[in-house]
Amino acid sequence: MKREIPVAVIRRMPKYHRELLILDQAGEDFVSTPKLAAATGVHDSQIRKDIGLTGLRGIPKKGHKIKDLISAIETFLNWNDVSSAFLIGVGNIGKALLNYTNYEQYGLKIIAAFDTNPEVVGQKINDIQVFPVEKLENLVQRLKVPVGVITVPADAAQETADMLVKSGIKGIWNFAPVTLDLPEHIILENVNLYHGLGVLSKRLKEKLNP
Amino acid sequence: MKREIPVAVIRRMPKYHRELLILDQAGEDFVSTPKLAAATGVHDSQIRKDIGLTGLRGIPKKGHKIKDLISAIETFLNWNDVSSAFLIGVGNIGKALLNYTNYEQYGLKIIAAFDTNPEVVGQKINDIQVFPVEKLENLVQRLKVPVGVITVPADAAQETADMLVKSGIKGIWNFAPVTLDLPEHIILENVNLYHGLGVLSKRLKEKLNP
DNA sequence: TTTTAATCGTGATTTATATAACGTTATAAA
DNA sequence: TTTATAACGTTATATAAATCACGATTAAAA
């Protein structure tokens, strides 16, 4: 019985990956889990367990070969084969995502964007063409694009999601602050910028007036 | 011994809050936890426990008064008294955050922004003035601003954080994809847009090639 | 009124996750 | 070579979180 990988693990991996890139660029060759622990704030035995899941084995007294570990993590996260994606909603967050250039390293490539606003439709942002939303369904179907990135305002998010689902999307990366109602088989990943703010706010005030 | 509120709870609260606002606007008066559960995807007993933490008590067979619950959550999260904040880094994400207007509802108010780029310095975005970073330390100190929002590129994040800490900041809301090295007493909340992408990518490929 | 049933609050149980502990192993110093 | 030890991998333990389960409660129907 194939054990499901916990989300927590998948979330920690990119953290290690980032630190490893830095160490690699600094000319380092090996890294130990205690050292990685110090850099990332994650416990060393936790890191050993996580690394264990990639199948890579370290060397006592030395640690892990950084380059090997980097590619082991990339393989683990399937960042090697890149999925294409459409982005819907070219507002500020949408633009921020479009301008980000390193998705491919993370296994995703945004190949087109969609919006209703005639001011942005037709534009190119970071070489990515913005189409009118009317073309969305047809293009998802025809190009078999597996991922939709939703960066529309909250009140348009559900209908956008419905449209994507109807056209056969496989996964949705949702930035709108709503609870999307989706069929079971769709893979959903929510990013809510403001949830973190809630936590910060609360902790801060706990501290200031205890 | 005062039990620390788990982060998971604090993260779920805004979710309920959102749904409650919708129900309230729809003219509803009461809501039950099974109903909230259906809308948010969180288990009903979980919701009951969370609500219990706010001190509010429901009515069997009816549920909770929506308006009361909304304000109980707001009080719980300390969204009533608003903290002021500075935002550093007026790129796309920075702009997206500046254009968002509902922070105050979440207990935070961005009162000024900072950047190095002369093209944005001096501008006003959503009525918030952008200052040169040189003025940051002095202003944090003088105005005793408790929160810094870091939206600078990764390689400038640590030095920005250092600057903020030096000037006496209390909390940092960090959007840069780095592990910030901060003194214990600083409250830190990280938002990493791309971690979620890692999870999505992995799950998607697990599904497509099992 | 009395009865019914939905929903409540919470203690018990399960599951998941993180930490600690430790025997093993391979490098590097003696 | 031999020895010492840092870091490994992994099992055991502890902590935390989510879910279940159920008696208590109260609004609404009979």
Side-chain angles (χ1 to χ4, degrees), chain B residues 33-34 48-49 57-58 61 63-64:
Chain B
T33 51
R48 283 198 293 277
K49 277 199 173 145
R57 306 193 68 83
K61 198 101 192 247
H64 295 261

Side-chain angles (χ1 to χ4, degrees), chain B residues 142-156:
Chain B
R142 272 178 40 212
L143 302 180
K144 299 210 187 320
V145 173
V147 177
V149 183
I150 296 183
T151 47
V152 299
D155 54 13

Side-chain angles (χ1 to χ4, degrees), chain B residues 31-38 42-45 47-48 51 63-64:
Chain B
V31 68
S32 65
T33 51
K35 193 172 175 193
L36 253 187
V42 180
H43 250 255
D44 58 335
S45 53
I47 298 180
R48 283 198 293 277
I51 291 177
H64 295 261

Side-chain angles (χ1 to χ4, degrees), chain A:
Chain A
M1 181 188 163
K2 191 170 146 194
R3 188 109 187 72
E4 171 100 350
I5 304 289
V7 183
V9 175
I10 306 179
R11 285 192 195 285
R12 280 192 297 268
M13 289 292 186
K15 208 168 193 168
Y16 309 148
H17 188 262
R18 237 167 39 217
E19 288 300 328
L20 291 166
L21 288 183
I22 294 169
L23 290 169
D24 184 45
Q25 276 187 322
E28 299 283 324
D29 213 17
F30 278 83
V31 67
S32 66
T33 51
K35 192 172 175 194
L36 253 188
T40 58
V42 180
H43 251 255
D44 59 333
S45 53
Q46 182 80 78
I47 298 179
R48 283 197 293 279
K49 271 191 181 161
D50 291 347
I51 291 177
L53 293 172
T54 68
L56 194 72
R57 305 193 69 83
I59 301 165
K61 198 109 190 242
K62 291 195 82 174
H64 295 261
K65 191 140 204 279
I66 290 175
K67 285 193 198 304
D68 289 356
L69 190 45
I70 289 173
S71 51
I73 290 175
E74 288 172 356
T75 304
F76 176 83
L77 292 172
N78 283 101
W79 284 355
N80 302 304
D81 62 310
V82 172
S83 299
S84 53
F86 282 168
L87 181 143
I88 306 98
V90 187
N92 281 295
I93 301 180
K95 279 181 192 154
L97 293 177
L98 290 174
N99 278 306
Y100 186 71
T101 47
N102 283 79
Y103 293 112
E104 293 175 52
Q105 178 191 324
Y106 291 120
L108 200 81
K109 182 175 172 60
I110 296 178
I111 56 173
F114 298 83
D115 205 300
T116 48
N117 181 356
E119 291 209 359
V120 292
V121 168
Q123 275 190 34
K124 270 198 168 188
I125 294 172
N126 191 24
D127 257 320
I128 298 161
Q129 181 78 40
V130 182
F131 295 96
V133 271
E134 288 75 42
K135 300 211 169 175
L136 178 61
E137 293 196 39
N138 185 278
L139 282 172
V140 172
Q141 262 164 14
R142 273 179 40 216
L143 302 180
K144 299 211 188 318
V145 172
V147 178
V149 184
I150 296 183
T151 48
V152 300
D155 54 12
Q158 183 65 54
E159 60 177 308
T160 304
D162 291 344
M163 228 186 280
L164 289 168
V165 169
K166 203 173 124 203
S167 330
I169 211 84
K170 297 283 190 301
I172 290 181
W173 193 20
N174 173 44
F175 284 78
V178 295
T179 306
L180 292 178
D181 184 20
L182 298 174
E184 274 289 321
H185 66 276
I186 303 285
I187 297 165
L188 170 67
E189 185 66 27
N190 286 301
V191 182
N192 191 312
L193 302 179
Y194 312 112
H195 279 184
L197 177 54
V199 181
L200 179 65
S201 256
K202 172 131 188 81
R203 294 261 179 263
L204 191 68
K205 280 143 193 173
E206 274 171 4
K207 187 153 242 173
L208 297 184
N209 16 284

Side-chain angles (χ1 to χ4, degrees), chain B residues 13-184:
Chain B
M13 288 293 185
K15 209 168 192 169
Y16 309 148
H17 189 262
R18 237 168 39 217
E19 288 299 328
L20 291 166
L21 288 183
I22 293 169
L23 291 169
D24 184 45
Q25 276 187 321
E28 300 284 324
D29 213 17
F30 279 83
V31 68
S32 65
T33 51
K35 193 172 175 193
L36 253 187
T40 58
V42 180
H43 250 255
D44 58 335
S45 53
Q46 182 81 77
I47 298 180
R48 283 198 293 277
K49 277 199 173 145
D50 290 347
I51 291 177
L53 292 173
T54 68
L56 194 72
R57 306 193 68 83
I59 300 165
K61 198 101 192 247
K62 292 198 80 174
H64 295 261
K65 191 142 205 279
I66 290 175
K67 285 193 198 305
D68 290 357
L69 191 44
I70 288 172
S71 51
I73 290 175
E74 288 173 356
T75 304
F76 176 83
L77 293 172
N78 282 102
W79 284 355
N80 303 303
D81 62 309
V82 173
S83 299
S84 52
F86 281 168
L87 180 144
I88 307 97
V90 187
N92 281 296
I93 301 179
K95 278 181 194 153
L97 294 177
L98 290 174
N99 278 308
Y100 186 71
T101 47
N102 283 78
Y103 293 111
E104 294 173 52
Q105 178 191 324
Y106 290 121
L108 199 80
K109 184 177 172 56
I110 296 178
I111 56 173
F114 298 83
D115 205 302
T116 48
N117 180 356
E119 292 208 0
V120 292
V121 168
Q123 274 190 33
K124 271 197 166 184
I125 295 172
N126 190 23
D127 257 321
I128 298 161
Q129 180 77 42
V130 182
F131 296 97
V133 271
E134 288 75 43
K135 299 210 170 175
L136 178 61
E137 292 197 40
N138 185 278
L139 282 172
V140 173
Q141 261 164 14
R142 272 178 40 212
L143 302 180
K144 299 210 187 320
V145 173
V147 177
V149 183
I150 296 183
T151 47
V152 299
D155 54 13
Q158 183 63 54
E159 62 178 307
T160 304
D162 291 344
M163 228 186 278
L164 289 168
V165 171
K166 203 173 126 201
S167 330
I169 211 84
K170 298 283 191 299
I172 289 180
W173 193 20
N174 174 44
F175 284 78
V178 294
T179 307
L180 291 177
D181 184 21
L182 298 174
E184 273 291 320

